[in-house]
Amino acid sequence: MKLWSYAFRELRRRPGRTVLTLLGIVIGVASIVAVSMAATTAGQAFRDMFGAVGGRASLEVVAVDQGGFDASVVTALDAVAGVKAAVPAVHEQVALLRGDTRTALMFMGVDPQRDGLVRDYTLEQGVDLTAAGTGGPPPVLLEAGFARSQGIAVGAPVRLLSRTGATDATVAGLLSSRAAAEFNGGTVLFMALPDAQRLFGLGGKVNTVQLVLAEGADRAAVQKAVKAVLPAGLTVRTPSSRGDLAEMTLAATGSGLSVVSVLAFVAGGFIITNAFLMSVGERRRQLALLRALGATRRQVTRLLVREAILLGAVGTLVGLLAGIAAAQVLSLAMGRMLGTDLPPLQLSVGSLVLGVVLGPGLALAATYFPARRAGRVAPIEGLTSDGREEARRGRRTVAWIGVALAGMSTLAGLGLITGRVGIEAANVIFAGLLIGCVMAIPLVVGPLSRLAARILVPLLKVEGRLAFRQLDRHRTRTSLTVGVLFVAIVVAISMGNSLLQNVQDTGDWYRRTLIGDFFVRGALPDVGTNQTVSMSEGLGAKIEALPGVERIDSLRFLPGTAAGLQIIILARTFDPQRPVPVDLEQGDPKAVVAGLLNGGVVVGTGLMMRAGLEVGDQISVETRDGPRSFPIVGTTTEYTAGGDALYMAWDTAKKYLDVAGVDVYLVRAAEGQVGTAGSGLQALAEREGVLIQTLAEFRTFIDGLINGVLGILWLLIALIFVVASLGIVNTLT
């Protein structure tokens, strides 16, 4: 018997149902592949960008707060076994000022004599830093493609904004779009190390030492040896780990996208199961005739499995193509959300393999029970049965298994809430809970149908009575169709409410924490890494002296380590006479301000949960003098770095960390003086090269970021309803 031909013929006999079933597979595979590939591209882009900064360096030494440190440590590092070269550098952010536009650049201050050990330079035009003349503005190198896009030629003057203010430089040469200039999309600038140290007011200090290892050296062993010779306040890590914080920032968005895509996949599985159950029911006599003509149970089962394989293969192929296209769109949306241009989408082997495995796997798993049931039907039973579903012990067994699965998933969810279960298990827990609930639906579908019949039959009359009899006659089909709707409704209610709540929470958060009529920045921040162009502290006095300005607050984002976790430390000024500018979750506002000014910290709820701490506990923070414990005086709902953040008073941060420069000045105008203060700030911005945002412009910026995330999630939630509608159409067809 040619089972493959027979299976293909059966699929062609029901083109409508076949297409609807295929769509269930296509949407499930496409959503999984698109989200996985886009998230991988975004996360890897940041890691590759910072990994490329290291060039041939396998390790780098930095301060725990990313500030400057004495370059004399290079001598000790050169002596470590396995280290071929220790190359000092300055790695910062600057803004390129061109008329009314500003572009954030990754700044590299390098030793021209030694940096060739780390990076390769391919000069396209001009001269390199070693051949540039002395005197006058410091020479710099730019990537050729970026320079042309800005209309900058060799010898042209450029103006740079750093934490010491605006500085003039001269373009000495242009680098080709390879090697040292390929990272960060070409928005990179090189300057000789002595000039860089003067530009950032570092004196003889650097803020990174890149380590090139000897051939055959074991990186882990060298890292351990380097750590042993480092003074307090310095740490050794891989260059690509600079992108870890960006991946943490992406994790929350990626988690939400993954949950919805997994649910679309699960809903597709219910559609396939339902379709095959209907197919088996309609072909009951046909399959019985095959058995009567000599087909074995195994052959009947294999026939249906072949149909599933055909559907799975075609659905997976189309789903992969649709997923790649959707991933491209999703990657562009995530890049816009993060305020950066992500590199072109790269086909992720892992994502494609995931789709190849899950597509046919979904079809086979959804077909297993219908195929097994069909193979066990005796010929006489199939020929004489009227098609009514009989009460089966197996169906109740599956339902009780669903109850057990839902119960275990609920317990795991409680562990997730309390922090005993890692957040990476959220997708599995949520999917398990929904699958368990759908499997348990047969236990309640009968009573609920009868209740609905009592209410609706008097209204729907004869047609209603017939409809409810049909639903009761095919309990399994009814349960699966209800299950798909159940998944869609649960996702809409839970995720929808969560999204709306997050919008409200985020709005409340930035209104309470970022209080001001104007915001002064060097450039718009990199949302993914929280890197920004810092300004000089002296600029604050100039702003405060402007007519119409009542007060200013300083804010600085410092990467750090607390409780063994990578975090963001928000150093800012606090006024004991004003409401605490923090979205407090726990703690009395007045006591919190007093505690902050006395050396305490306010910790984000995400960090509190991960570290297992409570208000009143001490949290260990890596400082220049080694680990130091700070009392926790309150908790806050914080969205920076996904909640892995803490607030520290400005003076406390200055005492223990390298707070060099200010990332944001929050300016409050005196009552009725907003116009006067705004005019003065605009004039100051023209002189100093800084960026001024009004409160309305700032809110538009934040709302744009929020809406970007929400748009993607709402689209995926709508996709769940599309899948659910396919299930209903499939049943009615």
Side-chain angles (χ1 to χ4, degrees), residues 115-463:
D115 204 57
L117 297 169
V118 180
R119 279 169 283 272
D120 294 319
Y121 296 87
T122 304
L123 199 66
E124 188 171 298
Q125 293 181 39
V127 297
D128 59 25
L129 296 176
T130 58
T134 58
V140 298
L141 302 179
L142 291 173
E143 191 270 325
F146 170 75
R148 292 190 189 100
S149 70
Q150 299 291 317
I152 300 174
V154 172
V158 291
R159 192 162 179 79
L160 307 175
L161 178 67
S162 70
R163 63 170 177 252
T164 57
T167 304
D168 291 321
T170 302
V171 178
L174 302 179
L175 301 172
S176 66
S177 303
R178 295 188 298 274
E182 68 181 357
F183 55 86
N184 203 33
T187 54
V188 59
L189 179 146
F190 290 90
M191 180 182 284
L193 185 58
D195 293 329
Q197 290 169 325
R198 285 191 292 271
L199 178 64
F200 288 94
L202 291 172
K205 295 181 178 181
V206 296
N207 63 12
T208 183
V209 177
Q210 296 175 317
L211 305 179
V212 180
L213 305 189
E215 187 175 352
D218 181 74
R219 188 175 68 179
V222 174
Q223 186 170 1
K224 185 177 180 181
V226 168
K227 190 175 182 179
V229 303
L230 290 178
L234 300 185
T235 186
V236 58
R237 64 184 187 183
T238 60
S240 62
S241 63
R242 290 178 184 262
D244 290 347
L245 190 60
E247 289 195 84
M248 288 167 55
T249 303
L250 289 169
T253 302
S255 177
L257 296 175
S258 298
V259 166
V260 181
S261 63
V262 167
L263 295 180
F265 189 78
V266 170
F270 293 143
I271 290 176
I272 300 169
T273 303
N274 197 11
F276 272 91
L277 280 172
M278 288 186 286
S279 177
V280 169
E282 291 175 358
R283 295 158 60 188
R284 192 179 187 88
R285 286 183 173 82
Q286 182 186 33
L287 296 173
L289 282 172
L290 288 176
R291 291 292 312 281
L293 292 172
T296 65
R297 290 183 175 184
R298 180 174 296 180
Q299 284 178 318
V300 171
T301 302
R302 285 163 56 192
L303 168 65
L304 295 175
V305 168
R306 278 167 167 73
E307 292 181 22
I309 291 174
L310 286 172
L311 283 172
V314 175
T316 298
L317 178 61
V318 177
L320 289 176
L321 296 176
I324 292 172
Q328 182 67 49
V329 175
L330 189 58
S331 180
L332 292 173
M334 293 180 73
R336 189 169 297 129
M337 177 191 73
L338 294 170
T340 186
D341 292 327
L342 294 178
L345 185 73
Q346 296 183 351
L347 297 183
S348 168
V349 175
S351 300
L352 295 177
V353 169
L354 184 65
V356 169
V357 171
L358 290 181
L362 174 68
L364 288 174
T367 312
Y368 174 74
F369 286 107
R372 188 166 173 265
R373 176 186 297 182
R376 291 188 174 187
V377 175
I380 189 64
E381 180 186 353
L383 290 170
T384 59
S385 172
D386 64 355
R388 180 187 297 274
E389 288 189 12
E390 300 175 0
R392 297 175 182 270
R393 180 181 302 176
R395 190 171 64 197
R396 295 186 66 84
T397 300
V398 170
W400 285 111
I401 291 174
V403 172
L405 178 60
M408 289 187 294
S409 299
T410 301
L411 292 176
L414 293 175
L416 187 69
I417 294 172
T418 58
R420 296 179 180 178
V421 178
I423 190 65
E424 61 275 2
N427 290 351
V428 176
I429 292 172
F430 196 23
L433 179 61
L434 284 181
I435 292 173
C437 290
V438 173
M439 291 172 65
I441 284 176
L443 295 175
V444 298
V445 71
L448 289 178
S449 294
R450 288 190 290 273
L451 176 62
R454 288 187 178 182
I455 298 172
L456 296 177
V457 164
L459 299 175
L460 301 177
K461 300 181 180 178
V462 176
E463 293 86 350

